[in-house]
Amino acid sequence: MSFLADTETKKKNEWLEWGKAIIIAIVIAFLLRTFIFATSIVQGESMDPTLENGERVIFNKLVYLLDEPERGDIVIIQRPTKNYVKRVIGLPGETIEIVNGELFINGEKYIQTFLTEEAKLQTNNFGPVTVPDEQYFVMGDNRAISKDSRNGLGLIQESEIIGKSEVIIYPLSEWERTQ
């Protein structure tokens, strides 16, 4: 009789251990999703060719609690009606100007390695505009159609930037870092 009781006790303990492990995994996943990583779906073509419509990216929510956005970062911007995915171009205190498709930051030409020549040529003249403290100037990589700091979105408050895009996770054929 004690052999059966020991076996039943072992089975109950095993189920309890599995139950604890599952609950801990769910709690950890919830904490990671809530405070550190989340996913976002790219809507539209404003970030082509870097990010395409329908791609799902993982973004890091923690990075900007510890640091500030840097030029070139692809960020998630939270607005009341929609989240946007854009690239940081101008930092607080900088003067941004676009002349004949060329980007100038504080009067110096900035080489945009992430843009195609066609995208540069489709970029209309803009500025100069000086970025105030705690704000950022952002643009999409598909400059001809992007709703960004030049038109529609305006300058972005630091508090509106909720994360940095890290990895494309869907479709699987596009699995790669976004930087």
Side-chain angles (χ1 to χ4, degrees), residues 3-159:
F3 175 74
L4 286 176
D6 285 347
T7 303
E8 283 186 30
T9 303
K10 285 181 183 178
K11 283 186 179 183
K12 284 182 184 176
N13 286 340
E14 187 175 325
W15 279 107
L16 279 173
E17 291 302 317
W18 273 104
K20 284 187 218 176
I22 290 169
I23 289 170
I24 289 170
I26 290 170
V27 168
I28 289 171
F30 173 77
L31 292 173
L32 285 172
R33 170 94 166 96
T34 302
F35 298 110
I36 299 176
F37 294 104
T39 62
S40 183
I41 297 174
V42 177
Q43 295 177 337
E45 299 173 351
S46 72
M47 285 300 293
D48 274 351
T50 307
L51 298 172
E52 297 176 7
N53 185 41
E55 288 182 334
R56 185 176 294 269
V57 296
I58 291 179
F59 67 93
N60 182 336
K61 292 178 161 186
L62 186 62
V63 67
Y64 296 135
L65 295 176
L66 306 173
D67 204 0
E68 295 179 353
E70 296 177 11
R71 185 177 348 281
D73 286 358
I74 296 175
V75 298
I76 311 301
I77 300 159
Q78 186 174 45
R79 289 284 172 91
T81 57
K82 180 180 176 181
N83 288 352
Y84 294 89
V85 180
K86 301 293 175 192
R87 186 179 299 275
V88 174
I89 300 297
L91 306 175
E94 294 181 333
T95 299
I96 306 300
E97 186 173 16
I98 301 170
V99 179
N100 298 325
E102 298 294 340
L103 173 64
F104 292 87
I105 299 174
N106 294 332
E108 293 187 30
K109 186 175 176 181
Y110 180 77
I111 305 301
Q112 303 172 81
T113 58
F114 43 84
L115 285 187
T116 63
E117 283 302 314
E118 183 181 344
K120 287 181 196 176
L121 294 174
Q122 293 177 346
T123 306
N124 294 330
N125 291 347
F126 177 83
V129 64
T130 300
V131 182
D133 288 343
E134 298 183 17
Q135 293 186 20
Y136 292 84
F137 187 93
V138 299
M139 289 196 285
D141 289 356
N142 189 351
R143 303 285 166 80
I145 65 164
S146 178
K147 180 178 178 183
D148 51 39
S149 289
R150 299 168 298 158
N151 54 36
L153 282 184
L155 296 170
I156 304 301
Q157 297 290 328
E158 187 171 2
S159 61

Side-chain angles (χ1 to χ4, degrees), residues 159-172:
S159 61
E160 294 176 306
I161 298 175
I162 60 168
K164 177 181 176 182
S165 175
E166 297 286 355
V167 178
I168 298 170
I169 59 169
Y170 183 82
L172 295 178

